[in-house]
Amino acid sequence: MPNPIDTFFDSDIANNAIVLGPFTPVDGQLLVVLSASWGTGNPTGAPTGGSQTYTPEVTAAPGGFNGYARIDSAVVSGSPGSMSVTVPAPTGSTRHSASLLRYPAGCLPGAVNATINGAGAPSANVTTGADDSGIAQVSADVSSVDPATRVYRNSATEIGILDGHVGSNSVQYHAYVPDIGAAG
């Protein structure tokens, strides 16, 4: 999968929707929306914008005192012109973040890994379905470990980070890998 045409990131520490953009897509482009909040009980909502249909790809909502993360996608249709994508604010006041990756026409969403939850550095085995697949990743660390020492696997590119480690207010990571290589 090629690099995204562009990426957007924003975060909020109150109860405000996050608006990503504006940008002007063309039909067939792939939009991937990543969002996270510091608590499973305070999930972000489904993205909207550009009269597009966003499909939920995967949601990590393990319950208890754990972070929440989700990935949605849309293949652009209907020649929307200039648009933005809005990720609704979670219920209740919370720290949350969102990012958007816009890929060239012809890129398609694919398989997703199982939800992972637990202590330690985030990791998951991902099986790609086609050569040259890309990976979009979002995670929420409620242990609020200082992200200064973060290292992304597979040479991932960071899109943005909500750093709330001072005061233990969660750390949320957004990143992507453009080309993971051979399928498998």
Side-chain angles (χ1 to χ4, degrees):
M1 181 174 270
N3 279 308
I5 295 168
D6 48 30
T7 61
F8 300 89
F9 173 82
D10 202 357
S11 61
D12 186 72
I13 59 172
N15 193 29
N16 301 302
I18 294 175
V19 179
L20 305 165
F23 57 95
T24 304
V26 299
D27 288 353
Q29 289 181 340
L30 173 64
L31 307 179
V32 178
V33 183
L34 314 174
S35 61
S37 73
W38 76 284
T40 296
N42 305 100
T44 58
T48 60
S51 299
Q52 301 301 300
T53 300
Y54 297 86
T55 302
E57 298 293 344
V58 66
T59 301
F65 183 67
N66 291 291
Y68 174 90
R70 71 183 283 161
I71 299 175
D72 296 88
S73 70
V75 176
V76 176
S77 64
S79 301
S82 181
M83 63 174 278
S84 295
V85 172
T86 300
V87 175
T91 54
S93 181
T94 184
R95 292 179 179 266
H96 57 285
S97 57
S99 61
L100 171 94
L101 299 95
R102 179 168 61 113
Y103 288 100
C107 295
L108 298 173
V112 295
N113 67 290
T115 299
I116 302 297
N117 180 57
S123 64
N125 293 324
V126 177
T127 302
T128 57
D131 289 349
D132 307 318
S133 292
I135 296 174
Q137 57 196 55
V138 58
S139 61
D141 170 22
V142 294
S143 295
S144 303
V145 174
D146 185 342
T149 59
R150 67 192 176 278
V151 176
Y152 288 99
R153 295 181 169 97
N154 299 310
S155 302
T157 298
E158 186 173 274
I159 304 166
I161 183 171
L162 184 158
D163 182 2
H165 82 278
V166 175
S168 297
N169 292 307
S170 88
V171 180
Q172 298 165 23
Y173 300 91
H174 297 249
Y176 69 93
V177 179
D179 184 347
I180 204 68

